Amino acid sequence: MAQWDLANADAVLVMGSNMAENHPIAFRFVMQAKEKGAVVMHADPRFTRTSALSDIHAPIRAGSDIAFLGGIIRYILENDLVFKEYAVRYANLATIIDENFIEAARNEGLFSGWNEEKHSYDFDTWQYQGMVIPSALAEHYLDTAESYSEMTKRLHEGPPPDDPTLQHPNCVYQILKRQYADYTPEMVERVTGCPKETFLKVAEALARNSGPDRTAAICYAVGWTHHTTGVQMIRAAAIVQTLLGNIGRPGGGILALRGHTSIQGSTDIPTLYNMLPGYLPQPNAFKPQARHFDQFLDDETIPTGWWHNFPKYITSLLRAWYGDSVGPENEWGYQWLPKIVGDHSQLAMTLAIDDGLIKGMFLLGQNPVIGGSNSKLVERGLGRLDWLVVRDTDEIESANFWRKGHLVQSAERRPEDIGTEIFLMPGELAGEKAGTFTNTHRLIQWHDRVVEGPGDSRSELWFVYHLAKRLKALYANSELERDRPIRNLTLDYRAEGPREEPRADDVLREINGYTWPEKKQVASFKELKADGSTACGCWLYSGVYPEDDDNRARSRIPDGPDGPGTHLGWAFAWPANRRTLYNRASADPDGKPWSERKRLVWWDEAEGKWQSPDEIDFEPEKPPHYRPDWDKKPEGMDALGGDEPFIMMPDGRSQIFSPSGLKDGPLPTHYEPVQSPVRNPLHAQQDSPVAKKWAREDNPLHALGDPRFPHVLTTYRLTEHHSGGTPTRGVPHTAELQPEGFAEIPPELARQIGVRNLDWIVLSTPRGEVETRALVTERLKPFEIDGRHIFQVGMPWHFGWEGYATGDIANVLTAVVGDANSSMHENKALTCDVRAGRIRRSRHRR
Amino acid sequence: MTVNRRTPGKRLRSFLRDWSLPRQMRGESHKGAAARSSASEQLRPRLEEADKVGTSICPYCAVGCAQLFYAKEGQLIHVEGDPRSPINQGTLCPKGAATFSLISNPDRLTKVKYRRPHGTEWEEVPLDWAMDRIAHLTKKTRDETFVETLPDGTQVNHTLSVASLGGATLDNEENYLIKKVFSGGLGMVWIENQARV
């Protein structure tokens, strides 16, 4: 949802986020909603400014979010508060699941299909009865039979089996009731520590403010993603919002509050290992179907729904990258795309560097010594590289670890022992270079080049372009097949000025796509073809540059005070400038708005098309009563009815129950964090059975109940600092506002270890120790869990040894453990010890 | 400068008439005429000196606040929130408000620093030399570690020995070129950014 649409919500739940402090400008819209009468709620381990501005603060133990959200799901079901017409028609609530499916709640915390030998799930029992549902493209799983794509072909044959009366014992509704039966308010209190009265207030307010006339929104940030169960926390929120009918409607939805200016853009156009631009899959060597392009297309193309267009997007991408050197005769250059052979995410990378597999590395505006988990392990690895290129605006910790790092300070190594050849190169910032950022609600916004960066600083565009030019020259005479990709890679961007800066608008034109070979801009992804007659760098961004001189990302026309408030003239939102995704769901199955108050999209019978102040996220002229003709085995969008708004899904419906794409279950279930002081009160399975643990000597984890690490530790951010701290710790204004690291501890714990506010304390985990100042505060309430006092400790993770605002690195404490789906770490919930005093350190060598 | 030949009493009364505070204390609005004085009449907005203004986006979090960048003779002189933006309507948070300081920070790197293997100090090197050396090292490591096929014959065409980390602070166009050149051109698979941290 657009951030400004939060102002239209009747209730806002902020959870897994300290929105007032970390996204203060977006939080204005929550405050605007509150001024109009909305209920604002904050569920969080810490009492923060977000809590202070909320009507309700629900304190929860870090990592217990699924128990809380599962409790809300149960509350909605038990009190018959489901928005039934929405959830039955627009989601898979009535769909019948395989008869052998068993919920985790009935099976000691494991879903059916657990394969102890492989230590992973088989997904057969998670499917719709009699048919296989593939997931969105990039998440296709590996372990399926050869006939996977054959099985999904059955999607052509008819709609999924369902029971709209919701009585069938294996319909999703009944499964949900069984899975969450134990998540009573009493159990929520027992697991999360939140008083059940407070929990009930939140559940009641969310439900009361949902329905045809009202909508509720949920905002989250890395407080949800940084767990081994992070994906399922977000899934739980999606289930709540789908049951309540809050997706695709004004003031409704789930807003992910992301942390970096173009973190959304760098996910859409991914500098990520497992995807190609626009959420297309990076080929995987262990998928037999990925060996050849035709099989790859056959396997990855979902027969029904929008993703049926996949071949157009991947072929246009290959044309954009390799130009005329590819065609049907050489599989469009498909074999030139490197195949992945496992998890190549940052966590796995940390270990691969330390193990010597990775020998050369580029660090482009990232500071892993501060932001990476198990910081000493990161540092040790950087010292084992042959070469390292660091591009940033300042001398960051990841560049000078060899003279100021932990290993040198503790005299474990001398600089002379570290063989890494290091280049530290000055980078440019927005304002010194032109280009686009994509914000947290998919808005692609251009920034101009107003001044030049100082001295030898250059943009990353300049760096990669000129590096590629040099490499092309070095490989120019190679006859080797393996060097053909770099030799043939297109690099047709105009370079201007004495610095020969490549033009970002030329790159954006390629991202948008054009006809080949004429290079006439395409107006939208609907014009892309699978025959090589179009080239497109990222199909999802098509429309951002629809004419040669029309850069929509630079458009700056907001709606006036009396305008519709969709601001279609302000920049460009992917896809196709749609501001609210799945907005067909804002109208009822017949095409009428659910209510006048929540009107966004409606069917205009006279004109024969959908109308809206937004761009329609649906086929513009498909009538609400259209039904697929199953006798004709319909493909793509023809297989979705006029009342099925979730067009990226194979059945056009929101997945309350998710049959494919997740490695840890089709529904969320509460698992404890990998490092928790508490035994799982809900079932025997303690933590996620598929959590990535990478337990090894330099990444030790302790056993459950280890008395050495009795407290819960959570890491967090401050308003005045940014992530790894590079752009704030060295800037006088921000450094002065938050000049030094600290950790928050509750007064009860402070008394127990005998420290007062601002005394030195040492935090320790099996990975390491840090010293910092104690901020003794009641903001972190201790919890009573199963008769035990559990203290929570919080530490901001921005600090390091560079800049004006310094402090020990919180990530020295954290572990390389990750979510099975996303490989995201769990630095929001782990365990630690706290003692009074300081760490004895040898003096700095230099 | 003109010399005030009036008596001290007249000068005091003149000063008190000009001074805005007494008028504000009498209840006149500090936002209107009562804010004026002969000194304020002579103030000119700093932005008037700008010879260039551009649209920009805040470089910190992902909310996407719009900013206006003002420059004079190639130097940045001011950054402020863009009042037209439906996201921030001219406002900025403490980080966003420090954007000017971030860009104009005298401590910023301006030269390429080089640390040779086992070296104990940084050395300053020319940009061109660094680029040539990096291209050479990239090619060397790639060529030494490139894998065309797995033992079972599956084509992989990758190197597992060169990695790239970062992208969430960069432009979409930069991310695109990183992925295109490093993955599509060189066969690197270890390409990641801040999205998972």
Side-chain angles (χ1 to χ4, degrees):
Chain A
M1 62 188 299
Q3 296 169 92
W4 52 69
D5 192 27
L6 284 171
N8 298 317
D10 300 296
V12 181
L13 170 63
V14 180
M15 192 164 170
S17 156
N18 175 9
M19 190 175 179
E21 295 184 47
N22 290 327
H23 297 89
I25 303 297
F27 195 67
R28 296 179 323 122
F29 300 112
V30 178
M31 290 293 94
Q32 288 172 15
K34 192 180 179 192
E35 280 177 359
K36 292 197 277 179
V39 184
V40 178
M41 298 164 279
H42 188 218
D44 199 89
R46 296 189 304 132
F47 186 93
T48 62
R49 288 174 178 84
T50 308
S51 325
L53 289 164
S54 295
D55 297 297
I56 305 168
H57 172 238
I60 59 166
R61 177 169 59 93
S64 67
D65 304 56
I66 289 174
F68 193 91
L69 294 163
I72 296 178
I73 295 170
R74 181 188 172 279
Y75 178 87
I76 294 167
L77 297 172
E78 293 300 316
N79 295 289
D80 205 19
L81 298 166
V82 177
F83 186 171
K84 282 222 179 73
E85 198 175 3
Y86 181 105
V88 170
R89 300 290 293 271
Y90 294 169
N92 62 8
L93 190 67
T95 305
I96 297 167
I97 304 301
D98 190 280
E99 60 193 10
N100 295 313
F101 175 73
I102 306 170
E103 305 86 38
R106 286 194 292 151
N107 191 35
E108 307 285 334
L110 291 171
F111 292 95
S112 53
W114 178 251
N115 186 325
E116 186 62 42
E117 198 180 320
K118 290 196 301 185
H119 208 74
S120 65
Y121 280 108
D122 297 325
F123 307 111
D124 312 77
T125 61
W126 303 0
Q127 300 305 312
Y128 294 177
Q129 193 180 65
M131 73 197 332
V132 168
I133 296 290
S135 68
L137 279 158
E139 303 298 335
H140 266 188
Y141 48 82
L142 289 172
D143 302 326
T144 46
E146 306 275 331
S147 57
Y148 178 71
S149 40
E150 288 309 309
M151 294 192 294
T152 64
K153 293 280 191 302
R154 257 173 254 159
L155 286 163
H156 288 310
E157 293 169 6
D162 68 352
D163 174 16
T165 69
L166 306 179
Q167 298 304 309
H168 191 288
N170 258 29
C171 78
V172 170
Y173 177 76
Q174 297 292 340
I175 288 172
L176 278 186
K177 284 188 103 167
R178 290 194 294 270
Q179 165 65 17
Y180 298 105
D182 296 338
Y183 291 61
T184 59
E186 292 73 25
M187 181 59 90
V188 170
E189 176 168 325
R190 190 173 154 208
V191 180
T192 68
C194 174
K196 68 178 180 186
E197 297 75 20
T198 312
F199 158 75
L200 283 167
K201 274 191 211 165
V202 173
E204 188 273 330
L206 267 185
R208 177 164 42 85
N209 287 295
S210 303
D213 271 323
R214 304 180 82 75
T215 51
I218 297 180
C219 303
Y220 76 91
V222 291
W224 271 356
T225 57
H226 289 172
H227 295 277
T228 49
T229 51
V231 170
Q232 295 286 8
M233 287 180 191
I234 299 158
R235 283 269 302 131
I239 292 170
V240 168
Q241 290 295 61
T242 306
L243 290 174
L244 294 175
N246 281 327
I247 309 278
R249 303 180 57 212
I254 299 175
L255 180 65
L257 296 157
R258 305 195 65 184
H260 296 79
T261 185
S262 199
I263 194 153
Q264 188 58 48
S266 63
T267 311
D268 308 329
I269 300 176
T271 38
L272 295 172
Y273 81 94
N274 56 341
M275 296 188 291
L276 295 165
Y279 301 93
L280 312 183
Q282 185 86 29
N284 189 312
F286 297 132
K287 262 182 127 165
Q289 298 88 345
R291 286 188 189 157
H292 298 286
F293 190 47
D294 51 351
Q295 290 170 12
F296 176 72
L297 287 186
D298 192 45
D299 188 55
E300 297 287 349
T301 305
I302 295 177
T304 56
W306 193 268
W307 276 117
H308 186 62
N309 292 306
F310 168 67
K312 301 170 188 169
Y313 305 153
I314 183 81
T315 311
S316 297
L317 175 70
L318 290 166
R319 178 64 92 200
W321 282 12
Y322 302 122
D324 277 330
S325 67
V326 295
E329 69 288 352
N330 61 355
E331 299 181 87
W332 299 98
Y334 170 74
Q335 299 296 352
W336 297 348
L337 295 175
K339 289 200 184 71
I340 55 175
V341 288
D343 181 349
H344 306 292
S345 71
Q346 186 180 340
L347 293 181
M349 185 191 286
T350 300
L351 302 172
I353 296 170
D354 193 47
D355 292 341
L357 174 62
I358 294 171
K359 298 174 189 311
M361 182 165 189
F362 299 92
L363 273 183
L364 309 174
Q366 189 167 346
N367 193 0
V369 166
I370 305 297
S373 301
N374 194 344
S375 179
K376 283 188 186 173
L377 176 59
V378 173
E379 204 185 291
R380 204 170 287 124
L382 295 178
R384 287 183 180 153
L385 290 165
D386 290 347
W387 54 269
L388 172 66
V389 177
V390 181
R391 295 187 44 81
D392 219 304
T393 53
D394 293 83
E395 184 174 322
I396 61 173
E397 287 83 356
S398 301
N400 71 14
F401 64 93
W402 54 273
R403 60 202 287 249
K404 293 187 183 174
H406 295 101
L407 303 181
V408 177
Q409 283 192 36
S410 65
E412 183 182 327
R413 299 244 193 115
R414 300 171 306 151
E416 296 88 325
D417 303 330
I418 297 171
T420 315
E421 182 172 353
I422 303 174
F423 305 82
L424 173 59
M425 309 177 79
E428 284 187 320
L429 293 161
E432 297 167 341
K433 59 185 179 185
T436 55
F437 292 141
T438 305
N439 86 344
T440 203
H441 76 247
R442 299 174 285 104
L443 203 57
I444 308 166
Q445 302 188 102
W446 181 267
H447 57 82
D448 291 335
R449 183 173 209 227
V450 180
V451 293
E452 273 193 348
D456 285 340
S457 52
R458 296 289 186 272
S459 68
E460 301 316 292
L461 203 64
W462 184 96
F463 173 70
V464 180
Y465 173 84
H466 286 281
L467 181 64
K469 286 245 170 196
R470 281 168 164 81
L471 284 161
K472 274 173 163 293
L474 291 172
Y475 283 111
N477 298 318
S478 169
E479 296 293 326
L480 295 174
E481 176 63 27
R482 68 195 212 177
D483 298 335
R484 286 181 64 199
I486 182 69
R487 288 181 56 209
N488 288 318
L489 199 76
T490 60
L491 214 55
D492 305 325
Y493 315 116
R494 286 167 286 185
E496 288 185 340
R499 290 179 168 191
E500 291 187 77
E501 177 72 19
R503 280 180 58 162
D505 56 333
D506 281 359
V507 182
L508 189 58
R509 283 186 187 92
E510 177 176 318
I511 290 171
N512 174 87
Y514 34 62
T515 61
W516 190 268
E518 304 83 4
K519 290 202 173 185
K520 184 182 176 300
Q521 296 299 113
V522 297
S524 100
F525 44 75
K526 288 181 184 170
E527 294 178 25
L528 298 177
K529 302 276 189 335
D531 60 3
S533 64
T534 54
C536 176
C538 180
W539 73 274
L540 210 47
Y541 279 42
S542 270
V544 68
Y545 227 121
E547 309 263 355
D548 199 48
D549 58 353
D550 186 8
N551 180 355
R552 295 277 172 92
R554 203 176 180 278
S555 173
R556 292 287 185 272
I557 308 165
D559 290 347
D562 300 323
T566 45
H567 303 289
L568 295 183
W570 183 273
F572 181 87
W574 68 256
N577 211 19
R578 296 163 195 168
R579 304 296 159 119
T580 297
L581 285 183
Y582 300 128
N583 54 24
R584 160 69 182 90
S586 71
D588 69 13
D590 295 331
K592 297 189 195 69
W594 289 107
S595 65
E596 271 310 299
R597 195 166 174 264
K598 296 290 170 179
R599 181 182 172 92
L600 181 62
V601 171
W602 59 95
W603 174 253
D604 184 336
E605 190 64 45
E607 295 276 325
K609 63 179 185 184
W610 294 94
Q611 304 279 11
S612 174
D614 194 359
E615 294 289 343
I616 316 278
D617 192 17
F618 201 63
E619 285 179 290
E621 293 175 3
K622 178 185 270 186
H625 298 111
Y626 168 84
R627 294 291 176 275
D629 182 352
W630 295 108
D631 292 337
K632 290 184 179 160
K633 298 208 168 186
E635 294 193 325
M637 290 298 288
D638 289 346
L640 301 191
D643 59 347
E644 291 177 323
F646 292 85
I647 59 173
M648 303 312 282
M649 299 293 154
D651 58 350
R653 289 164 184 244
S654 171
Q655 289 185 345
I656 290 172
F657 183 99
S658 186
S660 292
L662 294 165
K663 296 190 172 71
D664 53 355
L667 290 170
T669 199
H670 171 72
Y671 296 119
E672 286 293 321
V674 166
Q675 302 272 266
S676 167
V678 175
R679 179 164 288 288
N680 191 336
L682 270 154
H683 33 58
Q685 180 63 37
Q686 168 71 9
D687 51 10
S688 168
V690 286
K692 298 185 177 185
K693 289 186 182 166
W694 290 294
R696 46 190 248 176
E697 203 177 323
D698 50 7
N699 187 48
L701 304 172
H702 67 71
L704 173 65
D706 190 327
R708 293 175 301 162
F709 307 104
H711 312 307
V712 172
L713 171 65
T714 187
T715 63
Y716 64 95
R717 305 184 202 214
L718 303 166
T719 307
E720 297 81 4
H721 286 297
H722 186 254
S723 297
T726 311
T728 50
R729 281 191 273 121
V731 173
H733 288 88
T734 42
E736 193 174 342
L737 290 166
Q738 283 288 2
E740 193 181 335
F742 59 89
E744 292 188 30
I745 65 169
E748 296 86 344
L749 176 58
R751 274 197 295 278
Q752 191 176 305
I753 61 171
V755 299
R756 289 180 305 176
N757 198 36
L758 299 183
D759 282 355
W760 287 99
I761 50 173
V762 174
L763 276 62
S764 61
T765 69
R767 276 77 55 191
E769 299 190 322
V770 298
E771 67 174 25
T772 190
R773 301 277 189 179
L775 178 62
V776 180
T777 170
E778 292 174 10
R779 294 191 291 238
L780 279 160
K781 287 227 177 307
F783 290 116
E784 187 85 20
I785 308 268
D786 282 346
R788 268 181 63 201
H789 257 327
I790 303 286
F791 292 121
Q792 296 195 100
V793 177
M795 185 173 179
W797 64 271
H798 304 290
F799 295 96
W801 60 75
E802 283 301 318
Y804 301 112
T806 56
D808 272 10
I809 297 170
N811 273 314
V812 164
L813 301 169
T814 60
V816 180
V817 295
D819 183 296
N821 302 296
S822 62
S823 289
M824 278 165 114
H825 60 71
E826 191 162 52
N827 299 351
K828 287 290 173 279
L830 59 156
T831 51
C832 73
D833 187 32
V834 183
R835 65 174 192 266
R838 304 193 66 172
I839 302 171
R840 181 187 290 268
R841 283 182 173 148
S842 58
R843 289 177 62 81
H844 290 211
R845 282 173 54 91
R846 56 191 84 231
Chain B
M1 197 175 164
T2 54
V3 181
N4 195 333
R5 296 178 194 283
R6 289 178 296 179
T7 62
K10 278 184 177 174
R11 281 161 62 186
L12 180 64
R13 280 195 294 278
S14 167
F15 170 74
L16 287 174
R17 262 199 311 279
D18 189 44
W19 191 22
S20 64
L21 192 62
R23 280 178 279 141
Q24 292 178 29
M25 290 177 72
R26 280 201 300 273
E28 290 180 42
S29 169
H30 67 284
K31 291 174 180 168
R36 285 193 185 151
S37 66
S38 57
S40 76
E41 293 294 332
Q42 286 167 28
L43 293 175
R44 300 304 311 160
R46 178 169 32 150
L47 302 185
E48 217 171 59
E49 297 172 20
D51 53 29
K52 193 173 183 185
V53 59
T55 180
S56 198
I57 302 299
C58 181
Y60 291 99
C61 85
V63 168
C65 297
Q67 299 175 324
L68 293 169
F69 272 45
Y70 293 88
K72 179 188 175 188
E73 291 161 9
Q75 293 295 313
L76 195 65
I77 59 168
H78 187 66
V79 175
E80 65 183 22
D82 188 336
R84 299 170 300 171
S85 167
I87 294 173
N88 56 310
Q89 294 167 307
T91 64
L92 292 171
C93 80
K95 286 192 287 287
T99 306
F100 178 81
S101 310
L102 168 70
I103 295 188
S104 328
N105 192 347
D107 294 340
R108 267 181 73 174
L109 290 172
T110 58
K111 295 283 178 199
V112 181
K113 291 183 175 183
Y114 176 69
R115 186 258 177 179
R116 62 185 66 238
H118 308 288
T120 56
E121 297 298 335
W122 287 117
E123 302 166 43
E124 221 168 73
V125 294
L127 179 60
D128 251 4
W129 180 88
M131 290 299 291
D132 287 341
R133 176 80 187 145
I134 293 165
H136 165 79
L137 288 169
T138 306
K139 180 174 188 298
K140 178 172 181 286
T141 307
R142 176 182 183 271
D143 291 352
E144 286 169 359
T145 59
F146 200 83
V147 180
E148 282 159 303
T149 54
L150 296 182
D152 70 354
T154 306
Q155 287 194 60
V156 290
N157 284 321
H158 69 205
T159 169
L160 290 174
S161 295
V162 187
S164 176
L165 189 60
T169 65
L170 309 176
D171 295 344
N172 292 322
E173 294 73 16
E174 297 176 321
N175 278 282
Y176 178 72
L177 209 59
I178 292 167
K179 183 79 179 182
K180 180 176 172 180
V181 171
F182 286 180
S183 175
L186 298 174
M188 288 163 53
V189 293
W190 295 102
I191 298 176
E192 279 284 289
N193 66 35
Q194 292 91 331
R196 294 181 225 266
V197 303

